[in-house]
Amino acid sequence: MQQPRASRVGELELCGIPAWAGWMGMGRRGDPFGHRVLQIVTIVLCLPAVSCQCRILKCNSEYLTATSGLHVGAEESVEFCIALRAYSQCTRKTARACRGDLAYHSAVHGIEDLMSQHNCSKVGPTHGPPRTQPTSLDCMVHSDAPEICNYEKSLQQHGPPPNYTHCGLFGDPHLRTFTDDFQTCKVRGAWPLVDNNYLFVQVTNVAVVQGSSATATSKLTVIFKNFQECVDQKVYQAETDDLPAAFVDGSRNGGDKHGASSLQVTEIVAGQHIVIQAKYIGTTIVVRQAGRYLTFAVRMPEEVMNSFEDNQGLQLCLRGCPTNEQLDWWLPQVGAAAGGGATGSGRLPPRGRAPHGILTHETATTKCREKLPVDDLYFRSCVFDLLTTGDVNFTLAAYYAFEDVKNLHSDKDKFHIYQRTADLPAGSCAPGRPGLQALVFTHLLLLGWLWCCLSRL
């Protein structure tokens, strides 16, 4: 016999779940499946957290909030699917910390059952994660003023001007991080550049020259996550020879919400240069095509940059490329004769020549000097790319990357960079990367946490 509603409400309230939680309407009337799912979730939410870093209860709470008041129906199923995909995404982010956690595994199986019940696809829009702590962005959500979706205007009323950061990726590929580290990386395949509560950016890099580890960006995906009254979730995607002036759904703004105009795509040069302005988070993104490959640049407030969970994953713009993906290389001094031993420890071909002898060091230097007169790392990256690939279009990639720095970087004294992370003296660590002692300490700390967690089982 089905348990009376009043009794079930009492169980939920004992767990600290309000009686209006969305699970009350999840199953068809009289459907034992809905009741079984309700029992599973009730048990899951009543269990204590057995992992020191497991965030499954946070995922459960976000799902309950997103589905409160929904009932079974065609339109509601769409909303359930959106919430379920966000729920699934949340559990994946905390998977490593939740190994052995019964609440986590119960939630994962419950999600699979519910997605099957509502015929949900695993790929599709998700809700942006709700923010549980007030920030200066929150004032944009709970106000009806015209500036609710303008990050800078909001801060003018509630705090000091924001500090902006810049990240860029171009060429073969060369990465300038938010902390102004400069690296040359392999990173073949798909890699995330940015992954925070408001924005996700991923690039796909492909081989440029057969038989070489040289890669360049052929595809870019940008996801602006659903943000309260301001914008719907929007996806922008560019590929070689396809640099659209609109989001994937054909729109050029943030959708049907009150602040839709705070997110816009603008075409500067057809098929070559687009700019995306996200005023609600104070962010500007520039995407270009130079030759066969794409360049990326972003300007973002520090507050937005740092709005992510500790376990949210790799972000090249924030943490740089993994050590095993970084490349060390050197070039002879400017003015050195062609073939003057430019082999180095990176990918330069023997005797400083590109494949098939297309370009000498002297020719590459001359071509790059036409666009980049200062002997900084943008200039040297240009020479490196020409020698490695023989493709003179990489001159434009370096030139545009530096132009974007001048337009987006907040500190003109840092436009030029002269020392790469790999150029640091032997025995030193790249900024933001722990040394061996720090790694050992971290592993010991993790073992201690694990022992703490297991002792509670």
Side-chain angles (χ1 to χ4, degrees):
M1 179 179 297
Q2 188 176 11
Q3 190 175 5
R5 174 183 172 88
S7 176
R8 284 182 281 149
V9 170
E11 289 179 359
L12 291 172
E13 291 177 338
L14 284 174
C15 294
I17 307 170
W20 44 261
W23 291 93
M24 301 305 296
M26 288 299 295
R28 296 180 178 84
R29 185 166 298 179
D31 184 357
F33 178 85
H35 177 55
R36 178 167 62 86
V37 171
L38 176 63
Q39 288 180 318
I40 291 174
V41 176
T42 301
I43 294 171
V44 167
L45 295 178
C46 286
L47 287 171
V50 296
S51 172
C52 296
Q53 294 295 323
C54 182
R55 298 175 182 268
I56 190 60
L57 295 185
K58 177 178 179 291
C59 297
N60 294 341
S61 175
E62 290 177 358
Y63 177 78
L64 289 174
T65 300
T67 56
S68 63
L70 294 180
H71 301 281
V72 173
E75 295 183 359
E76 286 79 3
S77 287
V78 173
E79 293 298 319
F80 277 129
C81 290
I82 292 174
L84 283 167
R85 281 189 290 266
Y87 194 6
S88 178
Q89 185 181 70
C90 185
T91 59
R92 287 196 301 271
K93 289 177 181 177
T94 194
R96 179 173 297 181
C98 291
R99 290 177 180 175
D101 190 321
L102 180 59
Y104 165 78
H105 290 289
S106 298
V108 169
H109 290 300
I111 292 169
E112 292 177 356
D113 288 343
L114 289 171
M115 291 189 77
S116 176
Q117 178 188 2
H118 291 281
N119 296 319
C120 299
S121 63
K122 293 185 178 180
V123 178
T126 62
H127 284 301
R131 289 167 288 117
T132 56
Q133 295 182 352
T135 69
S136 59
L137 291 178
D138 286 325
C139 61
M140 303 192 309
V141 176
H142 303 294
S143 170
D144 293 327
E147 63 271 12
I148 59 174
C149 296
N150 189 308
Y151 181 82
E152 291 186 353
K153 287 186 178 180
S154 175
L155 285 188
Q156 288 174 3
Q157 297 181 1
H158 301 278
N163 293 319
Y164 285 98
T165 59
H166 163 74
C167 174
L169 186 77
F170 69 97
D172 190 12
H174 307 284
L175 172 71
R176 179 172 182 158
T177 70
F178 285 132
T179 54
D180 294 316
D181 288 342
F182 197 97
Q183 303 170 355
T184 300
C185 310
K186 295 178 290 185
V187 289
R188 185 170 182 172
W191 290 79
L193 292 180
V194 179
D195 185 8
N196 58 47
N197 290 350
Y198 310 99
L199 182 68
F200 175 81
V201 181
Q202 177 178 282
V203 292
T204 301
N205 300 317
V206 297
V208 177
V209 179
Q210 187 175 2
S212 170
S213 58
T215 63
T217 302
S218 64
K219 183 177 180 179
L220 173 77
T221 301
V222 183
I223 300 177
F224 295 91
K225 301 178 182 179
N226 185 358
F227 186 77
Q228 302 296 335
E229 287 96 339
C230 296
V231 299
D232 297 318
Q233 177 167 288
K234 291 290 179 177
V235 179
Y236 179 84
Q237 195 165 76
E239 297 185 62
T240 297
D241 296 329
D242 183 14
L243 198 65
F247 294 109
V248 170
D249 62 4
S251 66
R252 294 195 177 198
N253 61 22
D256 298 325
K257 293 189 176 181
H258 174 69
S261 62
S262 65
L263 175 62
Q264 290 191 334
V265 180
T266 303
E267 185 176 67
I268 307 301
V269 179
Q272 296 182 30
H273 183 190
I274 69 99
V275 174
I276 306 176
Q277 290 274 4
K279 292 183 179 179
Y280 67 100
I281 52 174
T283 297
T284 301
I285 291 176
V286 179
V287 184
R288 301 176 187 260
Q289 179 167 332
R292 296 284 300 165
Y293 304 104
L294 306 178
T295 71
F296 166 84
V298 62
R299 180 178 187 258
M300 178 183 296
E302 285 185 356
E303 180 186 19
V304 176
M305 177 192 73
N306 290 319
S307 63
F308 60 90
E309 303 293 335
D310 293 339
N311 59 350
Q312 197 141 337
L314 179 66
Q315 302 184 58
L316 299 190
C317 275
L318 184 64
R319 300 184 174 95
C321 299
T323 304
N324 62 343
E325 294 288 336
Q326 295 183 34
L327 292 167
D328 189 14
W329 52 269
W330 61 276
L331 294 170
Q333 293 298 316
V334 176
T343 303
S345 58
R347 296 174 294 178
L348 254 79
R351 299 187 62 79
R353 292 179 180 271
H356 310 298
I358 298 173
L359 293 174
T360 65
H361 179 268
E362 182 178 6
T363 302
T365 299
T366 300
K367 288 186 176 296
C368 291
R369 180 70 72 206
E370 293 173 358
K371 292 288 187 181
L372 300 159
V374 178
D375 186 13
D376 63 357
L377 285 180
Y378 288 91
F379 167 77
R380 290 187 162 254
S381 296
C382 172
V383 176
F384 173 81
D385 291 351
L386 264 59
L387 290 175
T388 304
T389 67
D391 184 351
V392 295
N393 287 307
F394 281 102
T395 304
L396 291 176
Y399 170 74
Y400 288 143
F402 185 68
E403 288 299 301
D404 290 337
V405 168
K406 291 192 292 184
N407 291 327
L408 300 177
H409 204 291
S410 58
D411 187 350
K412 65 179 182 180
D413 294 330
K414 294 183 179 179
F415 287 174
H416 297 281
I417 297 181
Y418 298 95
Q419 186 180 48
R420 296 176 297 122
T421 303
D423 291 333
L424 294 175
S428 65
C429 296
R433 286 179 175 75
L436 178 61
Q437 292 181 346
L439 289 174
V440 171
F441 175 78
T442 301
H443 281 90
L444 290 174
L445 189 61
L446 289 173
L447 288 173
W449 282 345
L450 179 61
W451 177 260
C452 158
C453 298
L454 292 176
S455 66
R456 296 175 59 187
L457 292 176

